[in-house]
Amino acid sequence: MNISTLIKELVDYGIKKGLVEEADKCYTINRLLELFNTNEYAPETDSCNEPRELHLILEDMLDYAVKEGLTEDTITCRDLFDTKITGLLTPPPSEIRRKFAEAYGRSSKEATDFYYDFSKATNYIRTDRIKKDEKWVTDTEFGKLDITINLSKPEKDPRDIAKAGAAKKSGYPACLLCRENEGYAGHISHPARQNHRIIPITLCDEDYYLQYSPYVYYNEHCIILNAEHTPMKIDRNVFSKLLDFIRQFPHYIVGSNADLPIVGGSILSHDHFQGGSYEFPMARAEYASEFELKQWPDVHAGRIKWPLSTIRLQSKNIGSMVDAADHILASWRAYTDEEAYIYAYTDGTPHNTITPIARRNGDLYELDLVLRNNITTGECPMGLYHPHSQYHHIKKENIGLIEVMGLAILPARLKKEMAILKEDLLNGTDISNDERITSHAEWAKEWSSSLDLKDEAVRKDLDNILHREIGLVFANVLRDAGVYKCNEEGDKAFDRFITSL
């Protein structure tokens, strides 16, 4: 296809998806002709009337752009250029905000449905890449855990890495979450966002914005970001804001990463929450024991059966719930139990914080308060309540909000490594001698030694076996992150804290 035909196909796609009005068709065509540095528009007359999937159109356009010297043939350069293309289809922020408000007037779900479909239609959410993620469910003693191998983030091209290292550093936008990213052209070390639109919302009289994560680790994975570039902080206001969000969007869940390194998120410099339309495994966890908070008789409280130490509050009264949560947070911030190796401070450095998650449960508001501690030791320099070294071959990154709720986000390298491991097991190869996967050798021998790999049924089921064993590692990783272990000693220590409340 020539570039004119591709432009026609793209504009037809935009009209079909409601991104381009019929009255703006010629205008949009001319802007695309300018982008591709051509004055001619002569689409092939026998071209297909029905536009293809967007990523297929864009791939052909990118190939043309590379051939004509309009961009370089690296992943980052192609991403920058295709976002510039889709940015020309994307309506201005005011129009998207108006449509969102109109839909919200009918229902909050209709508003988020509109906005999520829009974010996919503009290629801000790259659905073709997200489809590559591997997903499965593993049965554990804590119920079913959700496991994913994240394949949607492409690996960096060495040429892009070199360019980024040599490029002049910019402080605008201040971070990837700042509202100034809306419409930003990006550069070699900052993603383009011409096709990105954000929705203003108000939480407890403060200005925030709603957007979706471009990587959507789960259904309708959204981010709620502070209008100002201000650091994350877990306090009473956070509980109020999370519950206010649930009041406005009752079909969503929402939570916040903790506000300390090791147990916090990847961007602690910008206050934000994450939510979406997804039932996480944690939401299905039942109470392991229940207790009274005498100051708040209208709040039901208990600790749940979950690998991370979690207090669950339920109430119809948001005010009482916020008061109770604030009391638990203040108590935990100052709490030390040397017998359980819980230290609130060492040398003046604070260690205790909370990962909070809010949701609706029928007519009740529900708030999970996950107790976190980021203390390090000589044996565990990355954190005592962090994945321990024997599991780093599967997961060594921080356990943030999403993992806390029972959804594993595992590194892309595992896809290739598990394929090699499977091949070695089927061929009877000594895994410890395979330099490509030596980090998995000890773990693999633990569970594969009991398998009859000559049995055809076992050989056919090896993918499922690998999935199960990876999922069980994730369950152990969550156990490591729990400040109170799931045993009699841990339960007693947890109860000592609850008694202190």
Side-chain angles (χ1 to χ4, degrees):
M1 280 188 219
N2 62 33
I3 190 60
S4 294
T5 303
L6 291 171
I7 287 173
K8 178 183 182 301
E9 187 178 18
L10 181 67
V11 174
D12 287 346
Y13 167 88
I15 291 172
K16 179 182 178 182
K17 293 293 184 179
L19 303 175
V20 177
E21 298 289 339
E22 189 69 39
D24 298 326
K25 183 174 182 178
C26 288
Y27 170 78
T28 307
I29 288 170
N30 288 333
R31 294 186 71 196
L32 287 163
L33 290 172
E34 180 184 5
L35 176 61
F36 285 98
N37 196 27
T38 179
N39 296 317
E40 298 295 328
Y41 183 66
E44 297 167 2
T45 55
D46 61 345
S47 59
C48 179
N49 292 325
E50 186 68 19
R52 295 172 293 164
E53 291 184 23
L54 179 57
H55 73 96
L56 298 175
I57 303 171
L58 292 174
E59 284 169 13
D60 286 347
M61 285 184 150
L62 288 168
D63 289 343
Y64 173 89
V66 169
K67 182 181 177 182
E68 295 297 315
L70 299 174
T71 189
E72 295 184 37
D73 194 17
T74 68
I75 292 171
T76 300
C77 288
R78 289 173 74 98
D79 282 359
L80 288 169
F81 198 86
D82 77 5
T83 307
K84 186 181 292 187
I85 295 170
T86 54
L88 297 180
L89 298 182
T90 306
S94 58
E95 183 176 336
I96 301 308
R97 294 174 185 185
R98 177 181 58 79
K99 289 183 177 180
F100 183 91
E102 288 175 355
Y104 188 89
R106 294 184 290 273
S107 82
S108 61
K109 186 177 186 307
E110 185 175 337
T112 55
D113 284 349
F114 154 74
Y115 183 41
Y116 191 58
D117 288 342
F118 162 80
S119 298
K120 291 186 290 184
T122 62
N123 207 44
Y124 167 71
I125 296 174
R126 296 176 181 265
T127 54
D128 61 303
R129 290 183 181 172
I130 292 160
K131 289 176 183 175
K132 298 175 183 177
D133 291 349
E134 290 196 1
K135 302 180 180 182
W136 67 92
V137 173
T138 298
D139 286 314
T140 74
E141 67 173 283
F142 306 104
K144 296 180 184 296
L145 298 181
D146 297 339
I147 315 295
T148 67
I149 295 180
N150 177 27
L151 303 171
S152 56
K153 283 187 179 181
E155 293 184 13
K156 289 286 187 181
D157 187 300
R159 292 169 291 177
D160 292 328
I161 295 171
K163 276 187 180 181
K168 182 180 178 180
K169 304 303 178 188
S170 170
Y172 178 88
C175 78
L176 291 170
L177 292 179
C178 285
R179 58 180 173 172
E180 289 83 6
N181 281 281
E182 186 178 41
Y184 186 59
H187 48 76
I188 198 69
S189 55
H190 193 107
R193 290 290 183 256
Q194 291 103 320
N195 58 357
H196 179 40
R197 301 292 180 263
I198 58 179
I199 305 296
I201 62 172
T202 301
L203 299 178
C204 299
D205 298 322
E206 290 190 34
D207 292 334
Y208 279 76
Y209 288 92
L210 173 68
Q211 68 173 55
Y212 288 105
S213 166
Y215 307 110
V216 286
Y217 292 138
Y218 51 86
N219 187 50
E220 297 181 48
H221 177 188
C222 67
I223 300 171
I224 303 97
L225 56 103
N226 196 310
E228 302 299 324
H229 182 73
T230 185
M232 293 187 69
K233 182 182 180 182
I234 300 298
D235 58 14
R236 176 189 182 88
N237 290 333
V238 165
F239 304 138
S240 296
K241 290 170 185 175
L242 294 179
L243 291 166
D244 192 22
F245 181 84
I246 294 302
R247 179 186 62 80
Q248 297 179 55
F249 299 93
H251 60 293
Y252 271 11
I253 62 98
V254 68
S256 174
N257 269 302
D259 55 355
L260 293 178
I262 297 176
V263 296
S266 58
I267 303 179
L268 294 177
S269 60
H270 195 127
D271 173 36
H272 70 285
F273 314 128
Q274 295 182 75
S277 178
Y278 191 76
E279 185 183 60
F280 284 89
M282 182 186 212
R284 299 189 290 267
E286 298 180 350
Y287 282 107
S289 67
E290 297 166 60
F291 58 90
E292 289 186 1
L293 292 169
K294 293 183 180 179
Q295 307 97 309
W296 301 281
D298 56 348
V299 176
H300 180 226
R303 55 182 177 86
I304 62 173
K305 185 181 179 183
W306 194 244
L308 286 102
S309 313
T310 304
I311 292 174
R312 175 167 291 166
L313 305 180
Q314 293 178 327
S315 181
K316 293 181 179 180
N317 188 326
I318 288 180
S320 295
M321 211 166 187
V322 170
D323 288 342
D326 187 43
H327 172 66
I328 292 169
L329 173 64
S331 300
W332 178 245
R333 291 275 196 200
Y335 186 76
T336 290
D337 182 347
E338 293 186 8
E339 185 181 346
Y341 211 89
I342 304 293
Y343 292 89
Y345 294 88
T346 56
D347 300 324
T349 300
H351 296 300
N352 290 348
T353 185
I354 277 176
T355 299
I357 301 109
R359 66 182 77 85
R360 290 298 295 265
N361 188 343
D363 62 348
L364 296 173
Y365 289 95
E366 191 167 271
L367 191 61
D368 284 349
L369 304 175
V370 186
L371 308 181
R372 311 299 301 273
N373 179 289
N374 75 345
I375 198 167
T376 60
T377 67
E379 290 185 354
C380 299
M382 297 178 71
L384 179 61
Y385 306 109
H386 176 88
H388 289 180
S389 58
Q390 67 263 40
Y391 305 125
H392 286 183
H393 63 104
I394 298 293
K395 175 76 174 178
K396 68 177 181 180
E397 296 80 9
N398 293 350
I399 299 302
L401 172 66
I402 296 172
E403 286 94 353
V404 163
M405 295 188 287
L407 170 59
I409 310 295
L410 302 179
R413 61 176 172 80
L414 286 178
K415 180 177 174 65
K416 182 178 180 180
E417 291 171 1
M418 291 305 104
I420 294 170
L421 176 56
K422 177 184 176 182
E423 183 181 4
D424 282 358
L425 289 171
L426 291 175
N427 294 335
T429 304
D430 187 346
I431 301 164
S432 59
N433 291 332
D434 191 333
E435 294 180 356
R436 299 170 297 175
I437 55 168
T438 50
S439 64
H440 298 295
E442 186 174 343
W443 163 72
K445 286 180 180 178
E446 287 177 3
W447 52 265
S448 65
S449 59
S450 62
L451 299 178
D452 180 2
L453 289 166
K454 294 180 180 179
D455 185 326
E456 191 60 30
V458 173
R459 294 170 70 87
K460 287 182 178 179
D461 198 40
L462 198 48
D463 284 329
N464 291 328
I465 294 170
L466 280 163
H467 283 172
R468 181 191 69 209
E469 296 300 329
I470 291 171
L472 293 176
V473 168
F474 179 60
N476 287 330
V477 160
L478 295 185
R479 283 190 183 92
D480 286 347
V483 293
Y484 297 117
K485 303 311 172 189
C486 299
N487 53 36
E488 184 178 354
E489 184 180 352
D491 289 346
K492 288 180 179 178
F494 200 162
D495 287 339
R496 287 198 295 273
F497 171 67
I498 290 171
T499 301
S500 76
L501 297 174

